[in-house]
Amino acid sequence: MINMAQFYNIKFLHEVEGLSQRQIAQKLGISRNTVSKYLKQNEAPTTINRQNSYIGREYSDETRRVLPIIDQWLEDDLKRWGKQKHTAARIFRRLQDEYNFKGSESNIRKVVAKRRKKLQDVFIPLDFQLGHQFQFDWGEADIILQGRTQRIYLFYMQLSASRVRFARAYLHEKQEAFLDGFVHAFEFFGGVPTEGLFDNLKTAVVKILQGRDRLEQEAFLALQAHYLFKAEFCNVRSGNEKGRIEGTVGYVRRNALVPLPEVQSLDELNDHLLKWCLKDAEQKTVPHTNEKVAQMWEKEKEYLHPLPEKKFEACRLVSCQVNKTSLITVETNQYSIPCSYVGQGVWVKIFVDRVSVVAQNQVIAEHPRSYERNQMITNLDHYLEALLKKPRAIRDAHAFQSSDIPDVFRRFHRKMREHEGASGDRKFIRLLLLHREIGMEKLTQALLEAEQAQIYRYEVVHEIIQRLSNNCLKIQDLSKEKTPVNLLDYKIQKANIAQYGQLTGGQMK
């Protein structure tokens, strides 16, 4: 097929210069039949007309034979993982090996490209109602945490109508982080939308049922019941269904975390992300409107469901057995429990930042959560009753060597042991028990005062504690009017013996 310039030359040479078809063919280097063809038609060979002429061509018999096979393979690919599908070259080789195809690879490439276009999804522009929907996703990023590069996981949520974004960083994607993200996100948004759109992640879904039905995790259902929203799930491998949030993941990573932020804690990073989200809402405009995201967000808040009075307990619940050393094991780490619970079963609430232990519906122990491995986290108070029976063990007890215990305790204990031996161990443990009444701060202050006076005795420390606690009997001075000048003037009323006789029935002994 000729191009537009050749068509123009044919028309000009014939109509204006009066050349014959043979002369035009010789001058332009094309066949006389081509000249004759385009002199007969008045419509120029535009790009559209050229495409139509190609499209109108029929496939060869050999190609038509394998078209149903190609279509079936391409349809099957739509149900598979996006990174493991047929290429045109793979289709050509399979046709050769399995169906004895005799055509060319270049022809199959054109056929595959054309058939794929027919199978592509059609995306419909959406306009969400205020307060109706949010979308959620996880993402990954790197930061500099305490001087070292650390991979973190970012909890992303976006309101579909106002486009306001929320991001929060965690060290993992476990269920407690998943639930904790919602607690902070809803507080940030100022309310709860009607429904949320999710992938089929394990922290929310136990099993994928028919269609869009899902068997959901119990903790995730509890979250929905607490905040009163409904979860909707995308079709399998159809992330495009939550297109609002898909772009947010990369947008936040590129704009909020480049260059890599250098922080000392995740709390510091999350403060940075929160400020960035607020600033971004002030600067970005809602597509197809003249309003800023922050302005639309203020309107959307009026349509959100109010937050419940109590926060949701964003934790993972597991059961544990307390061993003989009064410890439970959670993810390779051991945490101490009051020694009276040795041998019993307890429930452990695993939060993002702490581990809380419950027995008989009461919290019996709470520790900061450790993300190291094979660590032992102990609390000296949990072992005091056992130490009263085995006072010598205080010298090497793991909990007593903890950095949380002020150094003055260890110094004071050494001095008491030097002065009183085993009796000093017992008396020191009795001192430790006093912190349950007065608190660790006052007990530390009392030990420091006694150490300064170089007196390492239980009785002295107890007196200092009484003074610090204002438990000593206060002596009030008499006023000058009531103070006798002479002791003889100070009279005391004598007892009436007759009254004593009445009380004893008149029998005097």
Side-chain angles (χ1 to χ4, degrees):
M1 178 173 286
I2 65 172
N3 57 34
M4 185 63 70
Q6 291 174 316
F7 179 76
Y8 164 76
N9 287 330
I10 291 172
K11 287 289 187 178
F12 185 84
L13 292 173
H14 182 71
E15 299 293 340
V16 178
E17 296 190 6
L19 298 182
S20 66
Q21 294 181 11
R22 186 184 299 276
Q23 291 172 324
I24 295 172
Q26 290 177 347
K27 188 169 185 176
L28 298 179
I30 58 178
S31 71
R32 196 176 70 174
N33 290 336
T34 300
V35 175
S36 175
K37 174 184 174 181
Y38 285 102
L39 285 176
K40 291 177 182 178
Q41 72 178 46
N42 294 320
E43 189 173 356
T46 61
T47 302
I48 294 175
N49 290 333
R50 290 199 296 273
Q51 288 179 346
N52 288 337
S53 65
Y54 281 118
I55 291 172
R57 293 179 184 176
E58 291 290 334
Y59 293 118
S60 66
D61 292 341
E62 181 69 358
T63 302
R64 282 201 299 270
R65 180 174 70 87
V66 296
L67 279 179
I69 301 168
I70 295 173
D71 288 342
Q72 185 61 53
W73 288 347
L74 293 177
E75 286 182 12
D76 291 344
D77 278 350
L78 294 176
K79 304 173 185 177
R80 296 192 180 99
W81 185 34
K83 296 182 179 180
Q84 201 167 350
K85 296 183 178 181
H86 283 89
T87 62
R90 177 59 182 153
I91 288 176
F92 173 71
R93 287 193 293 272
R94 283 194 66 185
L95 291 174
Q96 279 187 319
D97 297 340
E98 300 174 26
Y99 296 93
N100 196 27
F101 179 67
K102 302 299 184 182
S104 67
E105 182 176 349
S106 62
N107 187 42
I108 290 299
R109 289 182 183 276
K110 294 175 184 177
V111 171
V112 170
K114 183 178 177 181
R115 309 303 276 193
R116 273 186 176 145
K117 284 183 179 179
K118 290 186 177 181
L119 294 174
Q120 284 181 351
D121 289 337
V122 176
F123 300 114
I124 302 171
L126 301 176
D127 188 10
F128 293 94
Q129 298 176 6
L130 292 173
H132 178 67
Q133 189 195 76
F134 69 84
Q135 297 182 8
F136 159 80
D137 205 356
W138 280 108
E140 296 181 13
D142 286 340
I143 63 168
I144 306 297
L145 181 61
Q146 297 180 356
R148 295 188 300 176
T149 301
Q150 172 75 49
R151 175 62 53 88
I152 58 166
Y153 300 88
L154 292 164
F155 177 102
Y156 292 108
M157 190 185 290
Q158 184 173 14
L159 297 184
S160 298
S162 64
R163 308 292 186 99
V164 62
R165 298 180 172 98
F166 172 80
R168 187 171 178 82
Y170 294 94
L171 292 175
H172 52 75
E173 296 178 332
K174 295 178 181 178
Q175 190 177 68
E176 56 269 30
F178 175 67
L179 300 174
D180 186 75
F182 286 97
V183 174
H184 287 90
F186 291 146
E187 288 182 354
F188 174 77
F189 290 139
V192 185
T194 304
E195 70 174 32
L197 191 58
F198 298 84
D199 283 327
N200 298 281
L201 61 168
K202 292 181 180 179
T203 48
V205 176
V206 176
K207 185 178 180 181
I208 299 174
L209 305 177
Q210 188 174 7
R212 290 184 181 268
D213 293 335
R214 304 289 186 271
L215 179 61
E216 298 176 42
Q217 293 278 4
E218 184 175 340
F220 185 52
L221 288 171
L223 178 79
Q224 295 178 59
H226 188 83
Y227 288 106
L228 299 177
F229 72 89
K230 181 183 179 183
E232 292 288 342
F233 295 94
C234 297
N235 287 314
V236 179
R237 291 180 292 276
S238 298
N240 57 279
E241 293 182 4
K242 52 182 183 61
R244 288 283 194 273
I245 197 69
E246 288 294 326
T248 293
V249 174
Y251 177 82
V252 174
R253 185 165 47 220
R254 291 187 300 271
N255 291 276
L257 301 175
V258 175
L260 270 61
E262 298 185 24
V263 296
Q264 294 301 310
S265 67
L266 281 189
D267 288 338
E268 183 182 346
L269 176 63
N270 285 324
D271 287 341
H272 163 72
L273 287 171
L274 197 65
K275 292 175 183 176
W276 181 88
C277 289
L278 292 170
K279 184 178 179 181
D280 183 71
E282 294 287 345
Q283 295 176 342
K284 298 292 288 185
T285 302
V286 179
H288 313 298
T289 72
N290 294 323
E291 288 188 271
K292 297 293 184 183
V293 169
Q295 294 172 325
M296 185 75 79
W297 179 22
E298 285 301 318
K299 293 181 181 179
E300 188 161 21
K301 285 180 182 179
E302 299 179 6
Y303 294 85
L304 299 174
H305 301 301
L307 293 169
E309 293 182 3
K310 292 180 63 177
K311 284 186 178 181
F312 180 77
E313 266 200 328
C315 64
R316 179 161 46 99
L317 193 64
V318 297
S319 60
C320 289
Q321 193 79 12
V322 184
N323 66 18
K324 291 182 179 180
T325 53
S326 199
L327 296 167
I328 59 168
T329 302
V330 179
E331 296 178 338
T332 77
N333 292 319
Q334 292 184 309
Y335 299 88
S336 67
I337 307 298
C339 57
S340 58
Y341 291 91
V342 167
Q344 297 186 29
V346 294
W347 288 102
V348 183
K349 294 180 178 180
I350 306 174
F351 294 85
V352 169
D353 57 347
R354 66 189 188 279
V355 171
S356 184
V357 186
V358 178
Q360 289 86 45
N361 294 323
Q362 290 186 341
V363 176
I364 60 172
E366 195 163 75
H367 296 275
R369 182 176 177 179
S370 172
Y371 283 100
E372 303 294 330
R373 291 183 61 81
N374 302 312
Q375 300 296 304
M376 184 186 293
I377 299 93
T378 54
N379 186 329
L380 182 59
D381 183 69
H382 295 161
Y383 296 94
L384 293 181
E385 281 79 10
L387 287 170
L388 283 173
K389 299 176 183 178
K390 302 176 180 180
R392 182 184 176 85
I394 187 64
R395 305 177 186 183
D396 303 306
H398 178 275
F400 190 52
Q401 308 307 322
S402 170
S403 59
D404 294 335
I405 303 296
D407 289 336
V408 65
F409 281 76
R410 285 181 282 271
R411 295 195 303 267
F412 206 90
H413 170 247
R414 284 194 295 270
K415 290 296 184 179
M416 289 187 72
R417 193 177 64 208
E418 289 174 8
H419 294 165
E420 303 183 61
S423 178
D425 287 335
R426 286 192 295 272
K427 291 181 178 180
F428 181 73
I429 294 167
R430 287 172 58 197
L431 279 177
L432 291 177
L433 282 166
L434 292 175
H435 91 276
R436 295 179 180 177
E437 301 175 15
I438 64 171
M440 204 65 171
E441 186 177 349
K442 281 186 179 179
L443 180 56
T444 303
Q445 186 179 350
L447 291 179
L448 287 170
E449 285 193 25
E451 184 184 48
Q452 189 174 8
Q454 297 186 352
I455 303 175
Y456 303 96
R457 290 167 47 202
Y458 173 85
E459 295 78 12
V460 172
V461 177
H462 195 272
E463 289 178 5
I464 295 173
I465 289 173
Q466 284 187 317
R467 176 170 53 78
L468 293 174
S469 303
N470 295 320
N471 289 332
C472 294
L473 181 63
K474 293 183 179 180
I475 301 174
Q476 295 182 351
D477 296 333
L478 290 174
S479 62
K480 290 183 179 181
E481 294 79 11
K482 295 182 178 180
T483 303
V485 177
N486 190 340
L487 288 177
L488 294 175
D489 297 332
Y490 191 73
K491 297 180 180 180
I492 299 175
Q493 186 178 2
K494 295 181 180 180
N496 189 342
I497 298 177
Q499 291 179 346
Y500 176 75
Q502 293 176 0
L503 291 173
T504 57
Q507 298 179 1
M508 300 294 290
K509 292 184 180 181

